[in-house]
Amino acid sequence: MKTKKAYINTFGCQMNVYDTHRMENMLAAAGYATTDSFWRADLVIVNTCAIREKAVQKVYSFLGRICGIKRHKPGIILAVTGCVAQQQSQWLAERFAGVDLILGTHAVTRLVPYLEQLGPENRPIIDVAMRTEIDPPADDVAEKIENADISSFVTIMRGCDNFCTYCVVPYVRGRETSREPSRIHAEVEALVRAGAREVTLLGQNVNSYGKKEALCGFPELLRQIHDIEGLLRIRFVTSHPKDLSDGLIDAFAKLPKLANHVHLPVQSGANRILSKMNRRYTRDHYMQRVAALREARPDIAISTDFIAGFPTETEADFEDTIDLIQKVRFDTLFAFEYSDRPEAPAARFNGKIDSLEKKHRLRKILDVQADVTADIYHNLVGSTQTVLVEGKSKKPRQDIVEMSGRSSENRIVNFVCASSGLEKETDLMEGQLVNVHIERACANSLWGRFVPDTAGLKPAAPLSMKGGKTNAA
Ligand code: SAH
Ligand code: SF4
Ligand code: F3S
């Protein structure tokens, strides 16, 4: 019987989402249920992100609110985990008197023992040690997962050695370390047994997986995972363009479960800026890798990240970025105004771009891409897409059950089952691959109708009870 309740608010990237799941599993074994109501929680965990100034501000304002509420509900335990905890532990302890536990990025596995140690006189407990071991002991709860999301995450490596000049990640996550392939395999198998049908393998630069430790390379890891029965799709993030190997491109040609999508952050279309960012590839190299990927998989969807207004970025550099967007025709992109991170070298670069100008450049990137995405999506109207169904759509229209999932290209597809005879059996669809005839393109999703030729819908394994809140990066 789970008597206590935990609420977790997750900021930042999939690394944090994965750590949140690990904490949920560990807490479940320790008698905590997750809740999505902060008010009912005995334990509140804020899993934090430090990637940009705005992300840190969001964390501070949330913590301020909770500390205010905690004055009226002093029994709540408040834990801060993740990248801001790693970076600002002392400051957090001084600024937010209500915080009981501060655990850095390598300490989340020690959450439960710390909860047990907490007494009135030893708050806050702070652990920001960067440990070398990456795999927890073999009997770790991560491999006894009871409920998994249809689309689940698995961290295959931690940290980053690339030191892009704008980026805080190497400082808050530590040096790059890869997990043993056998442990990753076992975890994916456990997730599939618990209901996962798709996994996303996580690392800041998956292409260098296993190199330092002389484990198998990333394409070989993909081949091993590909054999797992019941697993329908494999995704991965993130790929660094400098390390995107021919071996990985070959894997796209040979492994059908590998989704038809790659996230390949480019950051800028100008060689001078790429060099100042320490990205260690050129615009031409990037375009050449894109061409090779499209040769292996002609319809592959490519998404990317851009930083607008990196120090010294000129109008001409920015035009190179716009030109790259038009030439590559990304499926979608994320773009961010450059933000100084105190630890990162670019914070000390001259030639900072004015805030209004950064906003203007960001807007332009998003507008140019919106046209490209609209064009790609409109061309899909009339096609049939294979969708991994994740559940009911978030914004259903009145009286009609609308289901939602993603195509292999990672496009959100919402669909109705009207007049298919399956209107009442939509639950059976969760976790299945179904065909959807696309009838409409929306700004960030596609809409269509279920094509009732999907062979024998079978009940999927149980799905996880979700608690807390996620604020994607
Ligand atoms: N490892 C991944 C990215 C991780 S961070 C990679 O190498 O691409 C996610 C994105 O945040 C980055 O791709 C970058 O576009 C953005 N980002 C990182 N630091 C930033 C900063 N200081 N200012 C603005 N955007 C930043
Ligand atoms: Fe940051 Fe660069 Fe590492 Fe990505 S590769 S996490 S951008 S340092
Ligand atoms: Fe991820 Fe943010 Fe940390 S992007 S690695 S949670 S700084």
Side-chain angles (χ1 to χ4, degrees), residues 160 162-164 166-167 169-170 204 240 267 279:
C160 185
N162 284 311
F163 292 95
C164 302
Y166 50 81
C167 186
V169 172
Q204 297 297 351
H240 195 303
Q267 315 298 357
R279 291 291 286 179

Side-chain angles (χ1 to χ4, degrees), residues 137-150:
D139 62 351
D140 180 74
V141 281
E143 286 167 25
K144 293 184 201 145
I145 307 154
E146 286 174 23
N147 294 303
D149 289 341
I150 288 168

Side-chain angles (χ1 to χ4, degrees), residues 85-362:
Q86 185 68 49
Q87 189 187 33
Q88 304 274 18
S89 57
Q90 287 306 332
W91 194 83
L92 286 170
E94 284 160 27
R95 169 73 181 74
F96 298 102
V99 175
D100 301 300
L101 257 179
I102 300 177
L103 302 182
T105 55
H106 293 203
V108 286
T109 49
R110 298 186 285 279
L111 170 67
V112 172
Y114 282 133
L115 285 174
E116 284 158 5
Q117 279 169 35
L118 258 186
E121 64 299 322
N122 66 345
R123 296 169 194 232
I125 293 179
I126 301 180
D127 181 354
V128 289
M130 293 265 194
R131 307 289 165 106
T132 47
E133 91 282 4
I134 178 165
D135 274 317
D139 62 351
D140 180 74
V141 281
E143 286 167 25
K144 293 184 201 145
I145 307 154
E146 286 174 23
N147 294 303
D149 289 341
I150 288 168
S151 179
S152 288
F153 297 117
V154 177
T155 286
I156 63 165
M157 54 208 298
R158 182 172 71 187
C160 185
D161 290 350
N162 284 311
F163 292 95
C164 302
T165 53
Y166 50 81
C167 186
V168 75
V169 172
Y171 308 94
V172 289
R173 294 264 163 180
R175 293 291 60 72
E176 189 177 289
T177 320
S178 297
R179 294 179 65 194
E180 284 283 337
S182 59
R183 297 296 299 278
I184 298 169
H185 194 275
E187 188 168 329
V188 177
E189 274 185 327
L191 284 165
V192 171
R193 274 199 302 277
R197 294 293 170 264
E198 169 181 285
V199 289
T200 304
L201 306 178
L202 300 176
Q204 297 297 351
N205 179 15
V206 294
N207 305 113
S208 59
Y209 170 81
K211 280 196 187 138
K212 251 175 148 172
E213 295 83 0
L215 303 167
C216 70
F218 186 57
E220 174 55 27
L221 180 73
L222 286 173
R223 269 189 288 279
Q224 291 177 13
I225 290 172
H226 197 265
D227 289 342
I228 295 174
E229 213 178 308
L231 180 66
L232 303 176
R233 270 185 195 159
I234 306 171
R235 302 185 183 279
F236 56 83
V237 278
T238 299
S239 239
H240 195 303
K242 80 176 161 60
D243 297 317
L244 180 68
S245 66
D246 292 340
L248 181 59
I249 292 175
D250 192 47
F252 274 105
K254 299 214 170 105
L255 303 177
K257 288 183 186 174
L258 203 50
N260 207 18
H261 168 234
V262 65
H263 185 61
L264 199 61
V266 59
Q267 315 298 357
S268 167
N271 284 335
R272 196 179 66 80
I273 296 297
L274 288 172
S275 160
K276 282 185 89 71
M277 286 176 165
N278 191 31
R279 291 291 286 179
R280 288 175 282 167
Y281 53 82
T282 60
R283 172 192 172 96
D284 280 354
H285 172 83
Y286 188 87
M287 302 275 280
Q288 185 271 330
R289 293 284 82 184
V290 166
L293 279 165
R294 286 185 169 151
E295 201 166 308
R297 288 264 185 108
D299 299 334
I300 196 164
I302 300 173
S303 58
T304 200
D305 294 347
F306 280 103
I307 295 178
F310 186 80
T312 78
E313 185 185 67
T314 61
E315 269 301 321
D317 296 326
F318 181 64
E319 282 310 315
D320 284 344
T321 288
I322 298 299
D323 181 67
L324 187 82
I325 297 173
Q326 278 156 342
K327 289 217 164 82
V328 174
R329 288 178 65 78
F330 296 104
D331 208 72
T332 170
L333 59 75
F334 298 94
F336 313 97
E337 284 172 46
Y338 167 77
S339 163
D340 269 343
R341 307 315 298 129
E343 302 80 352
R348 293 177 293 282
F349 288 2
N350 294 325
K352 293 284 158 57
I353 307 298
D354 169 77
S355 164
L356 273 179
E357 181 59 26
K358 284 195 285 191
K359 284 193 183 6
H360 168 73
R361 292 183 189 177
L362 176 71

